Amino acid sequence: MVSESAHVVIVGSGMGGATLAWGLARRGVSALVLERGRPLPRERENWIPEAVFLDRRYKPEETWLDDDGKEFHPGVHYFVGGNTKVYGASLPRFRERDFEETVYPSGISPAWPFTYADLEPYYGQAEALYRVHGTTGEDPSEPWRSSPFPYGPLPHEPYIAETMARLSAEGLHPASTCMGVDLRPGGSCIRCQTCDGFPCRLGAKSDAETCALGPAVSGGSVRLLTGARISRIEVDRAGRVSRLVGDLGGEPLEVIGGAFVISAGAANSAALLLASRDDDHPTGLANSSGLVGRNYMVHNNTHIAAVDMRRPNDVVFQKTMAVNDWYHDLGDGYPGGSLQLIGKVQGSMMKSHATRVPRRMLDRIAHRSVEFVVMSEDLPSVHNRVTVDADGRIQVSWRRTNYDRHEALLATARRALRKAGYSAIFEQRFDISMNSHMCGTAVAGRSPSTSVVDGLCRTHDHENLFVVDSAFFPSSAAQNPALTIAAQALRVAEQTDWNAVG
Ligand SMILES: Cc1cc2nc3c(=O)[nH]c(=O)nc-3n(C[C@H](O)[C@H](O)[C@H](O)COP(=O)(O)OP(=O)(O)OC[C@H]3O[C@@H](n4cnc5c(N)ncnc54)[C@H](O)[C@@H]3O)c2cc1C
């Protein structure tokens, strides 16, 4: 048995865990980060689309089950830095209204237990930490800010600039994206085509290992244990967490500490709490509300490839523009969502979905297409949930919610793109396996009967147990989640009295 101890023990080194570790290091609080994965190697395959998308080189073998017991490969990556090692580094803030109750025709997006103003200073800190490039004054939905973007926006390549001019001519307000890449003066980013969805061979993407965990560990007060998979949380009779158990590269592992933070990602954090049931907590830990694992959200997302056969797309770094004109109002009084460019899709990447289409045809389309994600809010539902079977295997029950809004946003986006000259539009709707934006399985709230954690991510049921990752989101908004996870991790690090907890 390997035994470890630390004042604060963090399970998982993704956006939540790594940023929390950085926030603790800044305060001089000692912490141990337990990560089931290893550092993602910098290697040739990082930038080979076939290796990343067809061979799934960086995805685990693990499969999860859907409602019918059918296996699927989830969109998770078990490495130091978690999913941020491959993410698209699009790092927008949520809007003020995303923290308030919003009524949709088919349901309600609930209020958060804190406001945008409460999180705003930490958004600024997270943008500095993750080297966010952006600008103000272009996006009609942008929230107020008390500090400027640390770095100016990424310039648009000519093809994108022309597309923006076409959309502007329709009365829309295409705006620069908020991107976390190292394009500072002298920075290491080379604006390549293999960013969104790929690991960065140069360490130029602002992932959680590069920007937060690495600096925290080199400061000396944070330690990292890789290959350390936690399978159970144990509590004493008073309800305090007493130790974690798991394995370290095949050896049994136990970890004791003062405070314990679960940051294993929305599905794995819920699974760990549920799998830790005991006689006093027969439905799992932190689960007196019965809500652990429930309210699983993923965003309603569709990838679009818009094709203009007359205009070859020679762009290299495509992800520089978003359209948020419909974010607050789609024209019918209800929110729509956002339209964002994604990294340039290559024919070989299309092959993983369009398996029957000949590669030459996919290359031809890719040469003339520009790709977007259409993103709208899904709503929390207690029926959408993560559970674990007797072997600890994850099962996901999931039905789309609020999808009428997504259809309406898609129709609006299609119209705008057709007007801009894109005569053919191909769509790929996200299915259960495309859960990269998952959240909500341990929602934050004020009341222990309707939420799992409080506004500072401490579980209502166990005073020294926290959940700091996307699981705490009470709603999903319609913007990419990572900056909000990071900002909240910094807020939790700063506003929690770690001496009193541990
Ligand atoms: C391809 C892709 C593109 C994306 N693009 C964007 C984007 O552009 N912008 C954006 O905002 N978001 C994006 N995301 C989503 C973003 O990466 C996630 O929202 C974010 O990383 C979630 O942070 P987290 O801390 O909740 O979990 P994760 O980052 O997934 O971290 C969880 C960590 O816990 C570890 N772990 C799990 N279980 C255990 C255990 N039992 N014991 C020990 N360790 C464990 C995992 O290995 C992992 O390192 C993207 C995701 C993907 C997959």
Side-chain angles (χ1 to χ4, degrees):
M1 170 79 79
V2 181
S3 296
E4 289 284 346
S5 70
H7 184 53
V8 180
V9 181
I10 302 172
V11 179
S13 68
M15 200 53 158
T19 313
L20 181 79
W22 187 90
L24 294 177
R26 182 171 62 165
R27 290 186 63 192
V29 178
S30 65
L32 172 65
V33 180
L34 305 167
E35 168 55 52
R36 68 188 283 173
R38 307 277 184 190
L40 194 150
R42 286 199 196 163
E43 56 184 6
R44 226 179 107 252
E45 286 83 355
N46 290 167
W47 287 353
I48 299 181
E50 287 82 358
V52 176
F53 293 96
L54 292 178
D55 302 342
R56 292 201 290 257
R57 185 173 178 85
Y58 302 110
K59 288 208 172 162
E61 285 298 311
E62 171 180 305
T63 52
W64 296 355
L65 303 173
D66 72 9
D67 226 1
D68 300 322
K70 207 168 134 219
E71 291 186 324
F72 67 92
H73 288 278
V76 290
H77 300 79
Y78 297 145
F79 289 101
V80 176
N83 269 342
T84 69
K85 290 308 289 184
V86 298
Y87 78 163
S90 177
L91 295 173
R93 298 178 177 203
F94 284 4
R95 287 20 184 178
E96 295 92 325
R97 202 165 110 177
D98 292 323
F99 296 81
E100 298 162 11
E101 181 178 289
T102 303
V103 177
Y104 283 98
S106 62
I108 286 178
S109 168
W112 291 36
F114 52 88
T115 64
Y116 175 80
D118 294 325
L119 199 59
E120 199 282 335
Y122 302 97
Y123 268 134
Q125 294 175 22
E127 285 169 343
L129 185 61
Y130 285 96
R131 307 182 294 215
V132 178
H133 296 248
T135 190
T136 54
E138 296 178 349
D139 181 340
S141 75
E142 72 187 8
W144 62 268
R145 52 172 47 247
S146 61
S147 53
F149 278 99
Y151 304 100
L154 270 54
H156 307 290
E157 292 179 39
Y159 180 94
I160 300 304
E162 192 189 327
T163 301
M164 289 174 80
R166 291 175 181 211
L167 293 169
S168 299
E170 295 177 34
L172 295 169
H173 301 84
S176 302
T177 44
C178 308
M179 289 298 299
V181 288
D182 190 8
L183 276 168
R184 303 171 293 181
S188 51
C189 177
I190 56 167
R191 280 190 70 130
C192 67
Q193 213 172 26
T194 45
C195 184
D196 197 355
F198 295 83
C200 183
R201 258 179 103 173
L202 305 175
K205 174 156 41 187
S206 296
D207 63 54
E209 179 193 24
T210 306
C211 292
L213 191 61
V217 169
S218 50
S221 60
V222 171
R223 282 191 303 133
L224 168 68
L225 214 53
T226 63
R229 180 178 180 176
I230 298 306
S231 50
R232 187 170 175 78
I233 308 165
E234 293 181 354
V235 295
D236 61 22
R237 294 319 295 255
R240 277 181 67 86
V241 175
S242 53
R243 68 169 193 160
L244 306 178
V245 294
D247 76 87
L248 179 66
E251 292 287 310
L253 169 70
E254 71 161 358
V255 187
I256 55 172
F260 297 85
V261 183
I262 310 305
S263 303
N268 276 295
S269 287
L272 184 54
L273 293 168
L274 293 169
S276 301
R277 59 186 164 262
D278 62 20
D279 289 347
D280 292 334
H281 309 90
T283 62
L285 295 187
N287 201 16
S288 61
S289 63
L291 292 176
V292 171
R294 294 185 186 267
N295 297 312
Y296 173 84
M297 294 169 276
V298 288
H299 276 151
N300 289 321
N301 281 343
T302 296
H303 276 162
I304 279 184
V307 185
D308 180 347
M309 289 311 279
R310 297 159 307 176
R311 208 154 65 98
N313 182 358
D314 58 356
V315 73
V316 179
F317 193 96
Q318 180 168 272
K319 199 172 176 174
T320 59
M321 185 262 285
V323 178
N324 283 310
D325 289 74
W326 311 298
Y327 197 77
H328 292 308
D329 188 349
L330 197 49
D332 57 5
Y334 294 103
S338 72
L339 173 72
Q340 299 172 18
L341 286 172
I342 56 174
K344 181 73 195 94
V345 169
Q346 303 168 40
S348 52
M349 292 155 74
M350 291 178 172
K351 191 78 186 156
S352 62
H353 294 283
T355 45
R356 296 210 185 126
V357 186
R359 176 63 195 279
R360 272 185 53 206
M361 189 178 289
L362 293 177
D363 286 339
R364 215 172 118 71
I365 293 171
H367 191 47
R368 287 166 181 78
S369 66
V370 57
E371 296 82 14
F372 298 87
V373 60
V374 177
M375 188 183 301
S376 55
E377 182 165 13
D378 56 342
L379 299 177
S381 157
V382 291
H383 304 296
N384 285 341
R385 63 188 296 204
V386 169
T387 50
V388 280
D389 67 14
D391 302 325
R393 192 161 184 202
I394 291 176
Q395 183 156 26
V396 178
S397 302
W398 176 69
R399 297 276 179 282
R400 300 180 197 282
T401 60
N402 209 24
Y403 214 64
D404 49 334
R405 293 318 287 166
H406 191 60
E407 297 285 11
L409 177 63
L410 263 175
T412 306
R414 264 189 238 113
R415 269 196 303 278
L417 291 171
R418 287 215 178 91
K419 261 197 203 168
Y422 294 99
S423 53
I425 293 175
F426 299 99
E427 289 175 7
Q428 182 202 1
R429 292 174 188 239
F430 279 30
D431 62 20
I432 193 169
S433 70
M434 300 169 83
N435 56 351
S436 55
H437 289 186
M438 64 185 162
C439 63
T441 53
V443 290
R446 294 204 175 85
S447 162
S449 61
T450 55
S451 58
V452 177
V453 298
D454 67 15
L456 285 173
C457 289
R458 189 196 293 225
T459 61
H460 295 298
D461 297 353
H462 311 282
E463 63 173 352
N464 65 339
L465 180 63
F466 297 71
V467 181
V468 182
D469 57 22
S470 64
F472 86 84
F473 282 22
S475 64
S476 70
Q479 295 287 345
N480 319 59
L483 191 77
T484 301
I485 301 169
Q488 171 71 344
L490 294 176
R491 181 170 172 264
V492 171
E494 186 171 296
Q495 296 195 12
T496 302
D497 182 347
W498 297 99
N499 285 328
V501 177

